[in-house]
């Protein structure tokens, strides 16, 4: 899975002025836990709220459209969370904690919650059946069906991830997004879909001479593609849990890749050089790694906002493939099936 990098822009405490959407949040079985606090925010993080814990809370958002919300309960350093798409209006959510998970039991007065649940079930079924043509048709139809709400971009992200190396398919998505005329450019997923889509369709080669990086000796450096026939550019950052997990896979397969003249180069977006360097040293990760400088950055230039992203390049810097899972990289080089 990939990790979306989120930035909390500001924090409001308590309730704001009355909004268009009121969510009654009921936690069943709360007496079995010692919840410290609750926070809730929309996916785009325009509205972010913190609350003292009560088993029944009223969340007020200034929303008059379908949107996605994050709800998090905190207990002694643990966090139970859920992400949920809801209609605007007066909505009731009943939930409980099961193990490490916040489980939604019932959602009242929001049919869209159940539409998303049906979408997810159908998506998983088609994905497991490996019916790529059927899955693409399903996703494009769902984009059209949700053209007037931002869930269309969520669908578009699924489609883009599945087809990021198929320009003919990506052009179909671009036509649909262009038809929205930037209506949802305020939504968090918009640059991840629209911006990255444009780069996937137009950028075929990377000129590393344009970019400056910081190496493991805290010196400015450039990336040179030499010593191998192919290069895997691993775009990541320290707080990205899938990135960290997949570094173990890189280490396990590094020598096999090198035997096939493939080198891995890490490009991290982290600004804390010492923490980044300590992480690499502590885990004995020996492939080339760099952090980005603050000016013109490699990941922003390519509109990479989903992490990890792995770019497969030849020694001339031409982009051959793009993936979000290291296992797909291993499949690309026929190391695993």
């Amino acid at each position: 899975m990939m990790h979306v990098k989120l930035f909390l822009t500001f924090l409001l405490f308590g309730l704001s002025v009355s909004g268009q959407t009121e969510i009654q949040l009921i936690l069943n079985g709360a007496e079995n836990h010692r919840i410290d606090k609750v926070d809730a925010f929309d996916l785009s993080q325009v509205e972010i709220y913190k609350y003292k814990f009560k088993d029944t809370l009223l969340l007020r958002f200034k929303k008059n459209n379908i949107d996605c919300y994050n709800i998090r309960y905190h207990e002694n350093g643990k966090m139970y969370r859920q992400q949920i798409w809801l209609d605007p209006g007066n909505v009731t959510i009943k939930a409980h904690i099961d193990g490490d998970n916040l489980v939604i039991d019932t959602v009242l007065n929001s049919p869209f919650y159940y539409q998303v649940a049906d979408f997810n079930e159908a998506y998983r079924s088609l994905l497991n059946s490996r019916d790529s043509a059927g899955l693409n048709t399903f996703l494009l139809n769902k984009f059209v069906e949700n053209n007037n709400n931002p869930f269309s971009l969520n669908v578009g992200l699924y489609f883009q991830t599945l087809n990021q190396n198929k320009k003919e398919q990506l052009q179909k998505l671009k036509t649909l997004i262009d038809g929205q005329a930037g209506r949802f450019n305020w939504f968090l997923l918009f640059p991840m879909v629209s911006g990255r889509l444009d780069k996937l369709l137009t950028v075929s080669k990377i000129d590393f001479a344009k970019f400056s990086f910081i190496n493991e000796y805290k010196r400015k450096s450039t990336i040179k593609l030499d010593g191998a026939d192919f290069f895997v550019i691993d775009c990541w950052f320290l707080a990205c849990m899938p990135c960290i997990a997949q570094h173990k896979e890189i280490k396990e397969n590094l020598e096999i890749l090198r035997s096939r003249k493939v080198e891995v180069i890490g490009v991290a977006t982290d600004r804390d050089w010492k923490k980044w360097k300590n992480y690499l040293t502590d885990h004995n990760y020996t492939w080339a790694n760099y952090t980005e400088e603050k000016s013109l950055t490699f990941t922003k230039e390519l509109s990479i906002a989903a992490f990890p992203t792995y770019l497969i390049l030849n020694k001339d810097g031409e982009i051959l493939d793009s993936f979000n899972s290291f296992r797909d990289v291993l499949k690309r080089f026929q190391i695993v099936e």
Side-chain angles (χ1 to χ4, degrees):
M1 295 179 67
M2 57 186 172
H3 183 108
V4 178
K5 197 170 192 179
L6 301 181
F7 298 91
L8 301 186
T9 52
F10 58 88
L11 198 58
L12 300 176
F13 294 86
L15 296 178
S16 68
V17 295
S18 296
Q20 301 290 336
T21 296
E22 292 190 350
I23 303 169
Q24 186 181 48
L25 181 60
I26 302 170
L27 183 67
N28 295 316
E31 65 277 6
N32 300 320
H33 295 269
R34 302 185 67 177
I35 306 297
D36 307 311
K37 58 187 177 182
V38 182
D39 55 43
F41 52 94
D42 62 316
L43 185 62
S44 297
Q45 299 166 68
V46 175
E47 297 180 70
I48 306 168
Y49 304 103
K50 276 190 173 182
Y51 306 88
K52 291 182 179 180
F53 173 71
K54 294 180 182 178
D55 56 9
T56 300
L57 285 168
L58 186 63
L59 318 180
R60 291 193 175 101
F61 287 88
K62 293 176 281 188
K63 301 286 184 185
N64 56 9
N65 54 273
I66 288 170
D67 213 319
C68 185
Y69 302 87
N70 287 283
I71 298 168
R72 307 190 302 189
Y73 288 89
H74 301 264
E75 179 185 23
N76 296 326
K78 294 183 67 175
M79 183 165 59
Y80 312 100
R81 70 179 81 187
Q82 191 60 258
Q83 191 174 90
I84 184 169
W85 284 86
L86 298 171
D87 291 285
N90 297 317
V91 178
T92 298
I93 300 173
K94 297 180 181 180
H96 73 277
I97 293 171
D98 183 6
D100 293 330
N101 301 310
L102 177 63
V103 178
I104 304 296
D105 297 313
T106 305
V107 176
L108 304 176
N109 200 33
S110 180
F112 197 72
Y113 167 78
Y114 293 99
Q115 292 176 34
V116 172
D118 290 342
F119 166 86
N120 289 333
E121 184 177 351
Y123 173 81
R124 284 191 295 268
S125 178
L126 284 166
L127 191 63
N128 292 335
S129 71
R130 299 185 178 182
D131 178 8
S132 58
L135 185 54
N136 282 340
T137 298
F138 167 76
L139 290 172
L140 291 174
N141 287 341
K142 284 298 177 181
F143 188 103
V144 172
E145 185 180 312
N146 291 279
N147 190 56
N148 292 318
N149 73 71
F151 185 69
S152 57
L153 294 174
N154 190 79
V155 177
L157 184 59
Y158 279 43
F159 185 89
Q160 179 176 284
T161 301
L162 289 169
N163 294 283
Q164 58 190 305
N165 300 309
K166 302 172 183 175
K167 289 189 176 183
E168 183 178 348
Q169 294 293 338
L170 292 176
Q171 189 59 54
K172 296 176 183 178
L173 178 61
K174 179 172 172 54
T175 299
L176 292 176
I177 290 177
D178 287 350
Q180 290 180 326
R183 193 182 322 154
F184 303 116
N185 60 8
W186 53 269
F187 193 66
L188 179 73
L189 298 183
F190 183 80
M192 294 179 62
V193 181
S194 181
R196 181 66 181 140
L197 180 60
D198 287 342
K199 299 298 183 180
L200 287 168
L201 286 169
T202 61
V203 178
S204 59
K205 187 175 181 178
I206 298 173
D207 179 10
F208 280 106
K210 292 171 53 179
F211 307 101
S212 180
F213 303 88
I214 303 296
N215 65 18
E216 294 179 63
Y217 303 99
K218 209 172 185 179
R219 297 171 185 161
K220 283 189 179 183
S221 180
T222 57
I223 290 177
K224 294 182 179 180
L225 302 179
D226 53 25
D229 291 337
F230 301 98
F231 298 85
V232 180
I233 308 299
D234 168 28
C235 303
W236 66 286
F237 63 98
L238 281 170
C240 166
M241 292 301 101
C243 302
I244 300 308
Q246 291 176 37
H247 283 169
K248 297 175 185 177
E249 293 182 69
I250 295 177
K251 185 175 181 179
E252 291 170 2
N253 292 279
L254 192 60
E255 292 309 316
I256 298 174
L257 287 164
R258 285 174 172 168
S259 71
R260 302 190 182 190
K261 298 184 177 180
V262 181
E263 282 290 344
V264 178
I265 300 173
V267 174
T269 62
D270 295 281
R271 296 287 180 243
D272 189 332
W273 181 90
K274 185 175 181 180
K275 189 174 181 181
W276 167 82
K277 172 61 176 175
N278 287 341
Y279 164 78
L280 296 174
T281 301
D282 291 346
H283 291 84
N284 194 29
Y285 291 152
T286 59
W287 59 92
N289 264 285
Y290 303 85
T291 61
E292 293 187 308
E293 281 224 280
K294 293 181 180 179
S295 53
L296 176 65
T297 68
F298 172 77
T299 53
K300 285 184 179 179
E301 179 76 3
L302 292 179
S303 296
I304 294 172
F307 296 84
T309 288
Y310 302 99
L311 303 176
I312 311 298
L313 312 179
N314 63 18
K315 55 189 175 183
D316 295 320
E318 295 172 335
I319 301 173
L320 307 180
D321 288 297
S322 176
F323 302 107
N324 298 109
S325 165
F326 194 71
R327 185 167 183 82
D328 288 334
V329 174
L330 295 176
K331 289 179 181 178
R332 167 67 171 73
F333 292 106
Q334 299 180 331
I335 294 172
V336 299
E337 294 183 357

